Amino acid sequence: MVENNRWVKFSSHLILLLGIAAVVFPIYIMVIATTHTGPALQRPPFPLLPGDQFFENMKLVLGEGLSTAGAPPVALMMFNSMVMALGITIGKIAISLLSAYAIVYFRFPFRMFFFWLIFITLMLPVEVRILPTYGVASSLNLLNSYVGLTLPLIASATATFLFRQFFLTIPDELLEAARMDGASPMRFFWDVVLPLSRTNIAALFVILFIYGWNQYLWPLLVTTDERYYTIVMGIQRMLNVSDTVPVWNAIMTTAMLGMIPPVIVVLLMQRLFVKGLVETEK
Amino acid sequence: MAELRLDNVIKEFGEVRVIHGVDLKVQDGEFVVVVGPSGCGKSTLLRMVAGLEEVSGGEIHIDERMVNRVEPKDRDIAIVFQNYALYPHMSVRQNMAYGLKIRKFPKQEIEQRVNDAADLLQLGEYLDRRPNQLSGGQRQRVAMGRAIVREPSIFLFDEPLSNLDAKLRVQMRVEIRQLQRRLGTTSLYVTHDQVEAMTMADRLVVMNAGVAEQIGTPLEIYERPASIFVAGFIGSPSMNFVEGRIAADRQSVVIGQDFSIPLPQVTDAIQADQPVTVGLRPEDLHLTQESPDEASLPLTVDLVEVLGADTLLHGQVPHLDTLIIARLSGVPQVKNGEVVHLAFRPRRLHLFDRDSGKSLYYGQNAA
């Protein structure tokens, strides 16, 4: 029962506004910080109105980078992050689609055994198995490479499981109709299963892209060469400077740039994303 | 066009045998309906013909070719599924064309065939819609269209009308039958609806528990059911069964305590004092006045169902512990609780062996 009372309306809006403020304020601070010089940010009070240093800051982080902090130009880090995030996302989706398809539609020995094997890895996120994974990556000579950044994170139990559950909801008659129509297994996958999974793929794309973009621990371990630094670890390195003050204007500008790609992905995919999470199109 | 032949076809799921050797021959261009209660194996049989289930024993032939191990796509068969199984992301046109596209037909011919089928099924204006924008009957037609464009030698139908409402079902029933006549394609049609079975079939296969109990024309099966099961399954409301015993002189059958029905003809199939089940169709009973000349059953009416053209009387007969239903034409003035007298022509009588359920006798033998 919802009461249509002025006070209820007022207080619920107040709570909502406070919640929004709590989320938005730090972002506002960050945006403001990108428009001031470093010293201006060090000196209290912290400015709450935009300054005029935006383009200078941009030029600094995009082009030159902070050599004092051992961080390459942001453009390169953005590129690295993009390669890693897209590599992980596309890799994960491709692998899980295929493995889920195999598990659902083919009868082969130890089918359930493999399913449970994949399922069990849900309990082992990257952080738990990070040292052995590092060991494997290093003996395969994958350190300091894009392959090393993406490949070990690609196997995904979550996505496999999700696609399996979705495939199970596709009526058997569709498969049978396709068999009568003469479609080969891969043809059925390509012509029927894949188009039907469209919304699920979009939803996973968003989730996995953000997951990949925000990877921190793994890139930190696997890269020592500046050329392969990602933006998330770059920000951290800028903060961890010894014997000098952190260059806040550059850090904040980098952070803001680092936020943009996930936002773009969410905006572009939000319609499909919501659809994929809410309904299964039949 | 083709002939379909099943020789002693058996299906086992693991240890469980669900189809116990079915023999059936479908002539070229014939429309054969397989009917039975759910779980009798009729769909499994159809799926074996389609190649969607493996055959555990026996042989399936299409014309002279043994197809037990032939892939479904190479059998030259099309199937219409109960839930239509249309590809939800494709338009009606793409749905119908998909099979041809995979078989690498030239574009023009695909176009031609899809348009022809669409004309035939009055789907022309819906060709660019998606299945979820169509009504049940239209989806049903698309499923038919998908089968037609392939020009297969055999059509299979797996309860295609059971998802439609009653009115549409009657309409589609007629459409399917007309279409099949026009195309002359050999067809095997599975249903659990006996009205569909009776009205559509050239020949009918009544299945029960994995066995083809009887194969014959609809009228044959209605008039001369081979077993209690067939007699009870075909006909609505179903046949009344009462326990009885053949009289010592084999001239009559006695039901209840001493109600005797003369048999028009004596056959060797029945023996004196043999326990039998007597079958009487509700539509063969009619009202009569009680008189010493004619055998009649007193019925205490429990329920009167007026259907308009017909009236159903439900009630009890003294000394018989089964419910008796009579179907009378028109609307007789009968009230609940009233006792009426029912008569029937002995020629419409069926006798079944009480143990095996096999038919021993039908009055029409005498004709």
Side-chain angles (χ1 to χ4, degrees):
Chain A
M1 193 58 204
V2 182
E3 295 231 13
N4 207 0
N5 178 307
R6 273 182 52 184
W7 281 107
V8 172
K9 255 189 193 169
F10 176 77
S11 54
S12 52
H13 277 85
L14 187 73
I15 291 168
L16 288 175
L17 285 171
L18 284 175
I20 291 171
V23 174
V24 168
F25 188 66
I27 297 173
Y28 177 74
I29 291 289
M30 179 189 74
V31 173
I32 293 298
T34 62
T35 60
H36 289 276
T37 59
L41 296 174
Q42 294 290 342
R43 211 173 30 233
F46 192 89
L48 286 176
L49 292 172
D52 54 1
Q53 296 297 303
F54 180 70
F55 293 103
E56 274 74 49
N57 286 337
M58 277 292 182
K59 215 157 63 189
L60 172 71
V61 296
L62 279 176
E64 299 158 31
L66 288 180
S67 47
T68 47
V74 171
L76 177 64
M77 293 199 291
M78 292 272 277
F79 175 76
N80 290 343
S81 277
M82 191 60 91
V83 169
M84 181 176 72
L86 284 178
I88 290 174
T89 309
I90 294 169
K92 263 182 191 273
I93 288 177
I95 298 261
S96 355
L97 269 170
L98 287 173
S99 45
Y101 185 66
I103 283 172
V104 173
Y105 286 101
F106 292 88
R107 304 272 165 280
F108 52 89
F110 306 114
R111 192 168 65 104
M112 284 321 277
F113 171 76
F114 284 114
F115 172 69
W116 285 110
L117 208 64
I118 295 173
F119 195 69
I120 282 170
T121 60
L122 266 180
M123 292 183 246
L124 304 169
V126 184
E127 289 74 14
V128 177
R129 56 186 163 89
I130 199 145
L131 284 176
T133 311
Y134 178 80
V136 171
S138 103
S139 39
L140 288 175
N141 272 331
L142 295 179
L143 302 184
N144 286 321
S145 71
Y146 290 127
V147 180
L149 276 173
T150 51
L151 193 64
L153 300 184
I154 278 181
S156 171
T158 331
T160 309
F161 188 69
L162 220 109
F163 281 126
R164 173 186 179 265
Q165 296 310 101
F166 172 69
F167 291 170
L168 288 177
T169 67
I170 297 179
D172 286 344
E173 280 86 356
L174 277 191
L175 170 66
E176 289 171 352
R179 280 180 70 190
M180 301 299 296
D181 273 340
S184 63
M186 280 325 282
R187 191 81 201 248
F188 175 67
F189 176 72
W190 197 252
D191 285 348
V192 179
V193 173
L194 212 53
L196 289 179
S197 317
R198 206 179 64 240
T199 52
N200 288 51
I201 292 173
L204 266 179
F205 187 93
V206 173
I207 294 169
L208 293 178
F209 183 86
I210 292 171
Y211 164 86
W213 185 266
N214 287 343
Q215 278 302 314
Y216 172 63
L217 192 55
W218 180 248
L220 201 63
L221 276 181
V222 87
T223 60
T224 47
D225 185 338
E226 280 183 15
R227 279 190 300 139
Y228 293 103
Y229 282 2
T230 63
I231 195 155
V232 177
M233 59 184 287
I235 295 168
Q236 193 273 344
R237 289 187 70 94
M238 289 179 183
L239 271 170
N240 259 348
V241 285
S242 47
D243 303 333
T244 166
V245 195
V247 195
W248 280 109
N249 56 331
I251 294 170
M252 287 303 191
T253 311
T254 312
M256 193 191 69
L257 287 171
M259 278 177 55
I260 291 173
V263 169
I264 291 176
V265 167
V266 171
L267 285 181
L268 285 182
M269 296 247 183
Q270 63 168 340
R271 204 175 54 86
L272 281 173
F273 174 71
V274 173
K275 227 173 155 186
L277 289 186
V278 175
E279 59 174 283
T280 40
E281 200 181 14
K282 289 270 165 59
Chain B
M1 307 303 109
E3 185 183 284
L4 172 69
R5 202 173 81 234
L6 276 60
D7 287 334
N8 195 27
V9 169
I10 290 168
K11 177 66 187 177
E12 283 160 349
F13 288 113
E15 296 286 288
V16 189
R17 180 174 286 201
V18 293
I19 293 193
H20 304 263
V22 169
D23 293 296
L24 173 67
K25 196 168 170 184
V26 183
Q27 309 286 346
D28 185 13
E30 198 177 18
F31 195 98
V32 169
V33 176
V34 182
V35 65
S38 49
C40 71
K42 56 190 190 301
S43 281
T44 310
L45 192 72
L46 188 87
R47 292 165 57 81
M48 283 197 288
V49 175
L52 298 170
E53 295 280 356
E54 265 181 55
V55 180
S56 312
E59 293 185 351
I60 297 176
H61 293 259
I62 295 174
D63 284 332
E64 290 315 306
R65 188 161 69 127
M66 210 267 268
V67 294
N68 281 27
R69 301 227 146 261
V70 176
E71 277 290 300
K73 65 183 164 75
D74 300 324
R75 292 192 184 193
D76 198 16
I77 279 179
I79 184 165
V80 177
F81 292 94
Q82 177 174 356
N83 59 6
Y84 323 134
L86 301 177
Y87 308 116
H89 58 291
M90 295 187 195
S91 67
V92 169
R93 186 192 303 277
Q94 288 167 326
N95 261 292
M96 295 210 274
Y98 188 61
L100 299 177
K101 204 172 114 195
I102 286 179
R103 287 181 167 76
K104 303 216 158 51
F105 275 68
K107 266 217 169 87
Q108 267 187 322
E109 177 158 9
I110 296 182
E111 182 87 18
Q112 181 67 39
R113 286 198 189 188
V114 169
N115 287 339
D116 288 350
D119 284 346
L120 198 63
L121 296 162
Q122 298 153 21
L123 281 171
E125 54 188 303
Y126 305 111
L127 276 177
D128 293 313
R129 294 211 192 160
R130 297 270 184 88
N132 60 7
Q133 296 165 314
L134 300 177
S135 70
Q138 289 164 341
R139 282 182 214 187
Q140 177 61 55
R141 286 208 194 95
V142 179
M144 299 269 305
R146 193 165 61 172
I148 292 171
V149 291
R150 296 238 324 265
E151 295 176 6
S153 51
I154 297 179
F155 281 143
L156 301 178
F157 298 89
D158 189 2
E159 308 211 15
L161 303 184
S162 48
N163 285 359
L164 301 179
D165 62 57
K167 195 176 164 204
L168 205 52
R169 206 179 296 171
V170 175
Q171 183 193 337
M172 287 305 293
R173 190 166 89 194
V174 176
E175 281 183 28
I176 289 180
R177 198 62 183 91
Q178 284 172 341
L179 195 68
Q180 190 270 342
R181 279 221 182 94
R182 196 169 339 158
L183 299 172
T185 309
T186 311
S187 302
L188 195 60
Y189 185 109
V190 161
T191 181
H192 63 266
D193 181 339
Q194 50 136 331
V195 180
E196 242 170 81
M198 291 293 284
T199 52
M200 296 177 82
D202 287 328
R203 275 193 310 145
L204 205 58
V205 180
V206 183
M207 277 193 74
N208 180 30
V211 177
E213 291 249 344
Q214 192 172 3
I215 301 175
T217 64
L219 209 59
E220 252 169 46
I221 285 181
Y222 176 79
E223 289 185 338
R224 301 174 182 188
S227 66
I228 288 193
F229 173 80
V230 177
F233 191 78
I234 300 294
S236 172
S238 50
M239 191 185 270
N240 297 301
F241 294 112
V242 293
E243 303 297 295
R245 183 175 291 278
I246 303 293
D249 59 2
R250 298 206 297 158
Q251 297 291 333
S252 61
V253 58
V254 183
I255 59 175
Q257 272 192 321
D258 54 358
F259 184 76
S260 172
I261 307 164
L263 297 178
Q265 193 192 36
V266 180
T267 71
D268 293 336
I270 52 175
Q271 279 132 37
D273 287 330
Q274 188 182 5
V276 291
T277 300
V278 180
L280 285 170
R281 291 213 180 269
E283 51 272 37
D284 291 336
L285 296 166
H286 56 266
L287 285 181
T288 183
Q289 300 300 318
E290 191 179 12
S291 80
D293 307 333
E294 195 185 16
S296 71
L297 284 171
L299 180 82
T300 314
V301 178
D302 294 334
L303 177 68
V304 181
E305 286 182 309
V306 180
L307 304 178
D310 295 326
T311 302
L312 300 182
L313 300 185
H314 299 245
Q316 304 277 346
V317 172
H319 311 302
L320 298 179
D321 47 8
T322 48
L323 186 77
I324 300 288
I325 299 175
R327 179 180 190 147
L328 308 171
S329 57
V331 186
Q333 296 304 309
V334 177
K335 286 190 209 65
N336 283 351
E338 199 176 323
V339 176
V340 296
H341 289 268
L342 294 173
F344 56 90
R345 280 173 294 161
R347 284 189 39 194
R348 308 293 290 187
L349 193 73
H350 300 266
L351 295 183
F352 303 96
D353 186 274
R354 206 183 283 178
D355 299 323
S356 69
K358 294 281 172 237
S359 172
L360 295 170
Y361 180 93
Y362 11 77
Q364 294 188 336
N365 274 359

